[in-house]
Amino acid sequence: MITVLYFARFREKLGRDQESLPLPSASPVTVQVLLDELVARGGAWSDVFGCERGVLVAVNQRMAQRDSLLCEGDEIAFFPPVTGG
Amino acid sequence: MITVLYFARFREKLGRDQESLPLPSASPVTVQVLLDELVARGGAWSDVFGCERGVLVAVNQRMAQRDSLLCEGDEIAFFPPVTGG
Amino acid sequence: MAAEVAALEGEGVGAVVTFTGLVRNQSAFGPVEAVELEHYPGMTEATLQAQVEEAGHRWSLLGVTVLHRIGRLPAGAPIVLVAVASAHREAAFQAASFLMDYLKTRAPFWKKEWVNGVAYWVEAKASDAAAADRWQR
Amino acid sequence: MAAEVAALEGEGVGAVVTFTGLVRNQSAFGPVEAVELEHYPGMTEATLQAQVEEAGHRWSLLGVTVLHRIGRLPAGAPIVLVAVASAHREAAFQAASFLMDYLKTRAPFWKKEWVNGVAYWVEAKASDAAAADRWQR
């Protein structure tokens, strides 16, 4: 299983802040594979993740890319560009 | 008359912090004319003002140059490069 | 803030630069009552720590403090404090500016502005991305 | 210092940058016990005032404070404080850095360092002149 987190406007639009999912079965398992699964849910999921621009991802609390590999037990977070400070 | 002020290491080397002097009689009366008079005193005066490098001048509390003109009643200050802050 | 600066004083310190970011009382949508800061616990601390270490590699520093608040903050309240101590001023100014540019573009905080009872997510600014790009090497 | 920063908070302020210059406890001559600051009364105030006005012409600022101490100050003591408030951080960082570079090279202060009971006049640094030259235009 993997843990997927959603922050800020993504969290609001999706109506949840986290969920546990099985590690996707594709090979190799990348962030993009997970994103494709989320988009396939349709509705708000497609709205949020269908457009690549403005979707940042962290794997195990470090910034990652679309082609970053995922492993069993990983924590993956999706969020919009940061606006602190 | 004019007022001439000396600061920092100049003040210490010359043993005075200010004096009143008649406005030099040359024409035009510039800072350089006053400097020449001071150098002519010899000794520490020649040491301090004989070398142009490292001698700053202000006229009426504004930075000035060797060719700045002097008038009756002016306050002229000589000092080394500043080192505050 | 005086306490954070005092904590940075010490052997060889000649310069302390602080940056304080405050909740502005104006936005594109109107007068701002408050902001609400959300963050990613765990990643926030790791990111800020890594940024402080990066600053320490780039400049000769004698102390660094970074504080960031979360939750609801009224207009005028401080959001973030960066304080940097060094022997000379150039390193302190540069490092403080670097830390803010990186924090603004890489630390996982998100801000909502409350205007007339409605909350608007703040959009990331292109000028912040450009400011952070200055430090690439 | 907290008081000076608090005084700068207000309408539209989003960023406050402070610079504090402290008496370093080390010099080329050995451990520094204290420094002694001499200045040119009257010209000092006029120069700092003119520099603050110049900064206000160059950047959009919402408040500026410059404080400089004189007389004998022990190692570790603050000598100078520059605090700048603005809507955004870039102006505040730039203006604070500008004010310090100009103060260091144009405000009539002179500093002596006391080392092992002997006072040495501090020499002006070429790096300060170069820093101030950056702002010429």
Side-chain angles (χ1 to χ4, degrees):
Chain A
M1 302 293 282
I2 57 175
T3 304
V4 186
L5 309 180
Y6 310 102
F7 287 100
R9 95 170 73 204
F10 292 0
R11 175 179 52 71
E12 288 188 351
K13 283 192 187 165
L14 302 172
R16 73 181 67 173
D17 60 2
Q18 69 170 75
E19 61 186 316
S20 286
L21 294 175
L23 185 68
S25 55
S27 176
V29 191
T30 61
V31 166
Q32 188 60 56
V33 169
L34 175 59
L35 272 172
D36 292 342
E37 282 193 5
L38 296 176
V39 170
R41 292 176 176 178
W45 298 89
S46 166
D47 292 347
V48 166
F49 296 120
C51 175
E52 187 165 326
R53 193 162 47 84
V55 177
L56 302 185
V57 60
V59 174
N60 297 330
Q61 306 190 349
R62 297 176 64 108
M63 294 304 298
Q65 307 300 323
R66 293 295 186 276
D67 59 0
S68 299
L69 296 173
L70 302 184
C71 296
E72 189 63 28
D74 278 353
E75 175 179 298
I76 299 98
F78 293 105
F79 44 79
V82 304
T83 56
Chain B
M1 302 293 283
I2 56 175
T3 303
V4 186
L5 308 179
Y6 309 103
F7 287 99
R9 93 171 74 206
F10 292 0
R11 175 179 51 71
E12 287 188 351
K13 282 190 187 165
L14 302 172
R16 74 181 65 173
D17 61 0
Q18 70 169 78
E19 61 186 315
S20 284
L21 295 176
L23 185 69
S25 54
S27 177
V29 192
T30 62
V31 165
Q32 188 60 55
V33 169
L34 174 59
L35 271 172
D36 291 342
E37 280 192 5
L38 297 175
V39 169
R41 290 175 177 180
W45 297 89
S46 167
D47 292 345
V48 166
F49 296 119
C51 174
E52 185 164 324
R53 194 162 46 84
V55 178
L56 302 185
V57 59
V59 175
N60 297 331
Q61 306 189 350
R62 296 176 65 106
M63 293 305 299
Q65 307 301 323
R66 293 293 186 277
D67 59 359
S68 298
L69 296 173
L70 302 183
C71 295
E72 189 64 26
D74 277 353
E75 174 178 296
I76 298 98
F78 293 106
F79 45 78
V82 303
T83 56
Chain C
M1 175 174 154
E4 281 78 21
V5 172
L8 293 178
E9 292 172 10
E11 193 71 15
V13 172
V16 176
V17 169
T18 72
F19 174 86
T20 309
L22 305 151
V23 179
R24 260 191 310 283
N25 59 4
Q26 302 159 357
S27 84
F29 302 107
V32 173
E33 296 138 24
V35 299
E36 217 173 296
L37 264 302
E38 177 176 338
H39 77 132
Y40 182 175
M43 184 170 170
T44 307
E45 294 80 350
T47 304
L48 296 179
Q49 183 58 37
Q51 290 173 1
V52 168
E53 282 168 20
E54 173 70 19
H57 291 140
R58 291 181 181 226
W59 295 279
S60 183
L61 306 179
L62 295 166
V64 179
T65 299
V66 177
L67 299 177
H68 198 294
R69 298 172 76 187
I70 53 173
R72 189 181 171 96
L73 302 172
I79 302 175
V80 59
L81 171 70
V82 168
V84 179
S86 62
H88 302 287
R89 70 187 182 284
E90 179 68 5
F93 271 119
Q94 292 271 312
S97 183
F98 165 84
L99 285 167
M100 279 308 304
D101 288 344
Y102 266 39
L103 186 153
K104 282 266 187 185
T105 52
R106 299 178 183 202
F109 294 99
W110 301 273
K111 194 187 290 165
K112 248 179 176 172
E113 288 176 334
W114 285 90
V115 177
N116 297 323
V118 180
Y120 302 86
W121 286 106
V122 173
E123 293 288 340
K125 290 192 293 179
S127 61
D128 284 332
D133 284 346
R134 289 187 300 156
W135 306 103
Q136 293 288 355
R137 62 173 188 186
Chain D
M1 174 173 154
E4 281 80 19
V5 172
L8 293 177
E9 293 172 8
E11 194 70 13
V13 172
V16 176
V17 169
T18 72
F19 175 86
T20 309
L22 304 151
V23 179
R24 258 191 311 281
N25 58 4
Q26 301 159 356
S27 85
F29 302 108
V32 173
E33 296 139 24
V35 298
E36 217 174 295
L37 265 301
E38 176 175 338
H39 77 133
Y40 182 176
M43 184 171 170
T44 306
E45 294 80 347
T47 303
L48 295 180
Q49 182 59 37
Q51 290 173 0
V52 169
E53 283 169 18
E54 174 69 20
H57 291 140
R58 291 181 181 225
W59 294 279
S60 182
L61 305 180
L62 294 167
V64 180
T65 299
V66 177
L67 299 176
H68 199 294
R69 298 172 75 186
I70 53 172
R72 188 181 172 97
L73 302 172
I79 302 175
V80 59
L81 171 70
V82 168
V84 179
S86 61
H88 301 287
R89 70 187 183 286
E90 179 67 7
F93 271 119
Q94 292 271 313
S97 183
F98 165 85
L99 285 166
M100 278 308 303
D101 288 343
Y102 266 38
L103 185 153
K104 282 266 186 184
T105 51
R106 300 179 182 201
F109 294 99
W110 301 274
K111 192 188 291 168
K112 249 180 177 172
E113 288 176 333
W114 285 89
V115 178
N116 297 323
V118 180
Y120 301 85
W121 285 105
V122 173
E123 294 286 341
K125 291 192 293 180
S127 61
D128 284 332
D133 283 347
R134 289 186 298 156
W135 305 104
Q136 293 288 354
R137 59 173 191 188

